[in-house]
Amino acid sequence: FVKIQEGCDGFCAFCIVPYARGKPRSRARDEILDEIKKLVSAGRKEVVLTGVNICLYRDGKITISKLVENILSIEGDFRLRLSSTELHPEMNPIISIMRKNKRLCRFIHVPLQHGHDDILRKMKRPHLTSGFAKFAEDALTIDGLHLGTDIICGLPGETDGIFEESASFIKKIGFANIHIFRYSPRRGTEAVNFAERPHSSTVKKRMKILDEIRKTAQDKFLLSQIGREASFIGEKKAGNNCLIGWSDNYIKTLLQSHHLAWSSSPAAWRPF
């Protein structure tokens, strides 16, 4: 894990992070590249770029997409993964790089937070459903892409009708994974003062519905990858001839090998 950035200036209505972490600031590009070169020389096989809001990375004219290009130009046997990021214009060139360079993992986690425009506006999110859907449609043209997201359930103002429309929108996107959170008031945020917060029992029922959507979407993604090839990094042994690890598109994988060596070629692999 290589942290490239800290802070956020999004000030979403539900989020305390900008108050706790401060304004966006970024590490120098050369400092990041030097660290990654050392990690690769030491035998690290995967580098994950982390931060509070990595799409805001900037060192002079160097944006996150340019930084990714610079990292991928480093020689060595390693792959690059992005941690969670927001929907941002910089994601478009990131998608373009991902199409061309297989060392950039086919994994994008972009928090939607809600599937209804009324709630997104209340949240002060940087997107509406139409913009998110367009981004997802373009991103998912990458074969095998793992598209993950975060959803908040129970924000004040979430009526039954709004929730149903949100759930319907979430179903349509084609997520590989969904992290579901119950709305939790944070003192000092704007949302604390919002009226008409759904009852706890109602939120519990809605979260169960979202969890069923998550399971269905995850199963559909995993099934779509049967018979496909993917890069794999073993993390631990499982018995005498197996390794457990992760594919580049973030599927926990059991690799059966003819040899015990970690670098051996797989006889077969399948997703759990």
Side-chain angles (χ1 to χ4, degrees):
F1 295 97
V2 175
K3 190 168 185 177
I4 64 170
Q5 182 273 342
E6 177 65 274
C8 180
D9 58 1
F11 289 97
C12 294
F14 58 84
C15 185
I16 198 66
V17 168
Y19 303 97
R21 300 290 186 92
K23 295 180 179 180
R25 57 244 188 234
S26 303
R27 291 177 65 191
R29 185 266 309 270
D30 291 346
E31 179 181 301
I32 295 169
L33 295 180
D34 286 344
E35 179 178 352
I36 292 174
K37 288 175 183 177
K38 291 176 182 177
L39 290 170
V40 173
S41 295
R44 299 295 185 265
K45 297 299 183 182
E46 179 174 292
V47 172
V48 184
L49 301 185
T50 70
V52 171
N53 192 347
I54 63 172
C55 64
L56 297 180
Y57 178 85
R58 183 171 288 274
D59 178 20
K61 294 183 179 181
I62 305 297
T63 60
I64 180 64
S65 60
K66 188 64 178 177
L67 177 66
V68 166
E69 288 181 338
N70 289 170
I71 294 170
L72 292 173
S73 69
I74 296 174
E75 294 184 2
D77 180 20
F78 74 101
R79 68 188 187 191
L80 180 66
R81 187 182 301 278
L82 302 182
S83 62
S84 178
T85 183
E86 292 286 354
L87 192 60
H88 185 278
E90 274 294 300
M91 291 307 297
N92 294 321
I94 290 290
I95 292 297
S96 296
I97 297 169
M98 197 173 289
R99 291 187 205 283
K100 301 172 185 177
N101 197 321
K102 292 185 178 181
R103 293 170 72 196
L104 181 57
C105 293
R106 296 170 296 165
F107 172 83
I108 299 174
H109 190 95
V110 181
L112 169 62
Q113 304 297 17
H114 207 275
H116 195 283
D117 286 344
D118 288 352
I119 299 297
L120 289 174
R121 290 188 182 98
K122 288 189 72 172
M123 287 179 162
K124 294 188 174 179
R125 294 292 290 151
H127 59 261
L128 295 177
T129 53
S130 59
F132 195 98
K134 184 177 180 181
F135 166 78
E137 182 180 11
D138 181 47
L140 288 170
T141 59
I142 296 176
D143 185 43
L145 177 77
H146 180 129
L147 179 61
T149 199
D150 297 338
I151 298 293
I152 296 176
C153 184
L155 193 89
E158 186 187 69
T159 64
D160 287 343
I162 284 177
F163 173 76
E164 289 170 6
E165 289 187 40
S166 175
S168 178
F169 177 80
I170 294 166
K171 284 181 184 178
K172 294 176 183 177
I173 292 298
F175 291 113
N177 192 26
I178 304 170
H179 296 165
I180 305 163
F181 302 90
R182 178 191 295 264
Y183 167 67
S184 179
R186 291 289 185 266
R187 186 169 57 187
T189 64
E190 186 177 347
V192 167
N193 300 314
F194 290 169
E196 301 178 349
R197 185 179 175 189
H199 192 274
S200 178
S201 61
T202 300
V203 176
K204 188 175 181 179
K205 292 177 182 177
R206 291 174 183 173
M207 290 188 73
K208 286 184 178 179
I209 293 171
L210 290 174
D211 192 51
E212 287 302 315
I213 294 173
R214 177 195 66 79
K215 290 176 182 177
T216 300
Q218 186 178 59
D219 287 348
K220 184 177 180 180
F221 172 70
L222 290 175
L223 288 170
S224 75
Q225 296 308 293
I226 292 176
R228 305 294 183 91
E229 292 185 354
S231 70
F232 167 86
I233 295 178
E235 294 188 358
K236 62 180 180 180
K237 295 180 180 180
N240 293 326
N241 65 337
C242 293
L243 296 174
I244 293 176
W246 296 87
S247 66
D248 72 290
N249 56 348
Y250 209 61
I251 298 174
K252 190 174 184 181
T253 304
L254 175 67
L255 184 148
Q256 297 174 323
S257 175
H258 290 304
H259 307 285
L260 295 179
W262 286 78
S263 60
S264 59
S265 299
W269 72 273
R270 61 178 179 83
F272 280 135

